[in-house]
Amino acid sequence: MKPLVIIGITAGILAGLWTQFSTPLGLITWVGFLSWACFFAAGGKRAGLLKTIPANLSGVLWGAIILWAAPNLPVPGALGISVAIAAFAMCVQARWSVLGFIPGAFAGCAAYFGTSFDAAGTSLALIAGACLGWLSEYTAGLFATGKKDPTPAPAADTQAVA
């Protein structure tokens, strides 16, 4: 079977399970999918996981800072100023390799706002989603190679479809 078909099967199974069980477990389904996408956008594999989780969580932190700063800045346009500063910081923090995945930070911040400022729920779902991304890729690698310690299937690349 082709690698993208195998990863499609493993991701599909895990996505169905995530959808069925995330809400009853108190996890925010769409946030998990957002982080899952970040995992693949970050290149997948262990490196993608290690890029996604810290970047996503830093975005939640920047969102909380925006939420705190906007009403406490005694100037017109405080919300816009707070967002501008946080956006700048999410880009500049990428100089530190552990926070180098800028899209992950923006996704984490957006998820925090999208969940009506639920920092704990957002953070848990972001971590779960990134882990599900890794698991979908890892299990695809198991099926693709038939070995116990496989090289995971390549990250989803639409140009690789043949």
Side-chain angles (χ1 to χ4, degrees), residues 19-126:
T19 300
Q20 187 66 38
F21 296 109
S22 57
T23 301
L25 293 173
L27 298 167
I28 305 164
T29 307
W30 70 268
V31 172
F33 281 115
L34 181 65
S35 183
W36 198 330
C38 285
F39 165 80
F40 282 107
K45 302 180 181 54
R46 182 176 184 267
L49 187 66
L50 295 177
K51 289 178 186 177
T52 298
I53 293 173
N56 282 168
L57 296 179
S58 77
V60 173
L61 178 62
W62 285 114
I65 290 169
I66 292 167
L67 187 64
W68 172 84
N72 290 305
L73 287 176
V75 296
L79 177 60
I81 292 168
S82 299
V83 170
I85 292 169
F88 172 80
M90 286 187 278
C91 293
V92 172
Q93 76 181 12
R95 293 177 68 198
W96 187 26
S97 63
V98 74
L99 299 175
F101 184 52
I102 295 170
F106 277 85
C109 187
Y112 174 70
F113 281 98
T115 61
S116 299
F117 321 114
D118 179 358
T122 301
S123 297
L124 288 172
L126 287 169

